[in-house]
Amino acid sequence: MAEEEDDTKTTSVDDRPKEEGEKTEISERKPLANRKEKVTVRVVFLKVADIETVKERFHAEAFVQAKWREPTLDGLMDSPQKIEELNWNDYWNPKLTLVNALDEFHETVGRSVLFNAQGEAFVCERKKIKGKFHETLELDRFPFDTQHISLTIASNRPEKEVVLVTDDEDLSRIHLHSFVDQQEWILYKHVAASQGTIHKTEEASSERHASLTFSCRASRRIGFFMWNVFFVMFFICSMTFTTFALSVTLLPNRIQLTLILLLTTMTYKFSVNQYLPKISYLTYLDSYILTAMVAICLICAWHAVVGGFVVHAVGEKEAFWIDKYVLIGFVVVYFGGHLFLSIVIYVVVSKERSQDEKDEQDYLRQVFVSSEKPQQFSVELFK
């Protein structure tokens, strides 16, 4: 759409990049009627980059468009001179803010007036935003996870004064060609929106504020973790079966080799932690590594039992055959468990990503239907 490309050309009461911590000054005014003002919001993700799993944040550039009814401007469609003389401080404004924006945040603001076929006036506020944003990641399926990359927009006015809704005529979207982390993530085209309310922690009052969260989805590419974590751990744990090649009477040697492999696994676990924030629940990767450590501990415990008790109880020859049967049992359970785990992960991940693809197809159909609809606004005048 031309709106995203030309938004910086729109002049306004304040059409310059904001300094850090600076806010647009809009004078307080009561709503035009004793009702909730409806504000239609649309977001276009222009660029998404640096999705940081450990710090739970991402960098984004986006275009935010908000429209609301302004009856006092009705009838000015043929008076562009009067539109140019407007002072936006005299008119109602929803005071929209980005809730999950971090300190490194800049925005450029522009406003114009739209008129529909009936001559009704709407104020259109466009913001070009750029910065880092916080996102709480759901990492229970890491590294097979799909994350929501979200921008949460809220009004500084109380919930009783304003309601935020999505723009059904001009849909929110995302530019995939500018996505930087394509080697690590798969970014989907559809943008979902959900309404909510928030309570701002810096306020002493208990008033809640209307909010609207726009989310796009990104699925992690699993190749790096498959080759550098899962397969490496698989081979390290598989080496524990070689300790059964030693005689059942060589108890110290068996335990020594097994403990070396256990310590190697523990060291590897600590090195993997650098890819994750400090979370209080287990991810798929954590569960796999801990299960592997438990398997090594069980083999180590068996070596202690067979060398310390079974050999003396039934003799070396009988202990040899018992040890081989236990080895076969460990091998069957170990490789069978891996097969079962692979099937479960494949089914869960495939189901989730199939849903993502279905949502994307539904979104593309909505875009097509939206493009076929006649435009609601016939005239746009810039201040």
Side-chain angles (χ1 to χ4, degrees), residues 88-103:
W88 291 117
N89 290 337
D90 298 332
Y91 294 89
W92 186 87
N93 189 287
K95 298 183 179 181
L96 301 181
T97 59
L98 272 296
V99 176
N100 59 330
L102 300 177
D103 294 336

Side-chain angles (χ1 to χ4, degrees), residues 163-196:
V163 57
L164 303 182
V165 297
T166 58
D167 193 334
D168 295 329
E169 296 183 351
D170 202 0
L171 298 178
S172 300
R173 56 193 180 91
I174 183 170
H175 291 175
L176 295 182
H177 65 272
S178 58
F179 182 51
V180 177
D181 295 339
Q182 295 186 24
Q183 295 292 332
E184 299 181 36
W185 298 87
I186 301 171
L187 192 63
Y188 295 96
K189 295 179 182 178
H190 63 283
V191 177
S194 59
Q195 290 178 306

Side-chain angles (χ1 to χ4, degrees), residues 97-253:
T97 59
L98 272 296
V99 176
N100 59 330
L102 300 177
D103 294 336
E104 306 170 18
F105 174 72
H106 302 278
E107 68 177 16
T108 302
V109 183
R111 299 184 185 90
S112 63
V113 182
L114 301 173
F115 294 92
N116 61 17
Q118 291 74 39
E120 296 176 331
F122 293 78
V123 175
C124 180
E125 180 180 82
R126 298 181 177 92
K127 292 185 179 183
K128 178 76 173 294
I129 62 173
K130 179 180 180 180
K132 290 187 177 292
F133 302 86
H134 173 73
E135 180 65 45
T136 301
L137 303 182
E138 298 294 334
L139 296 168
D140 52 317
R141 294 180 180 175
F142 177 86
F144 307 97
D145 52 323
T146 296
Q147 298 298 337
H148 292 263
I149 308 301
S150 306
L151 295 178
T152 300
I153 299 170
S155 171
N156 280 336
R157 295 185 179 275
E159 183 188 10
K160 62 184 179 181
E161 293 185 18
V162 62
V163 57
L164 303 182
V165 297
T166 58
D167 193 334
D168 295 329
E169 296 183 351
D170 202 0
L171 298 178
S172 300
R173 56 193 180 91
I174 183 170
H175 291 175
L176 295 182
H177 65 272
S178 58
F179 182 51
V180 177
D181 295 339
Q182 295 186 24
Q183 295 292 332
E184 299 181 36
W185 298 87
I186 301 171
L187 192 63
Y188 295 96
K189 295 179 182 178
H190 63 283
V191 177
S194 59
Q195 290 178 306
T197 58
I198 62 170
H199 176 264
K200 296 193 174 181
T201 56
E202 65 270 16
E203 295 182 355
S205 67
S206 59
E207 285 186 334
R208 301 192 67 82
H209 303 265
S211 68
L212 203 56
T213 299
F214 294 87
S215 303
C216 57
R217 293 183 186 178
S219 295
R220 195 185 306 272
R221 295 185 185 272
I222 64 174
F224 174 84
F225 296 96
M226 290 298 297
W227 294 113
N228 294 279
V229 180
F230 284 99
F231 277 108
V232 172
M233 285 301 305
F234 174 78
F235 290 129
I236 290 175
C237 293
S238 299
M239 291 297 294
T240 57
F241 297 126
T242 62
T243 59
F244 284 87
L246 297 175
S247 173
V248 292
T249 59
L250 298 176
L251 175 60
N253 302 87

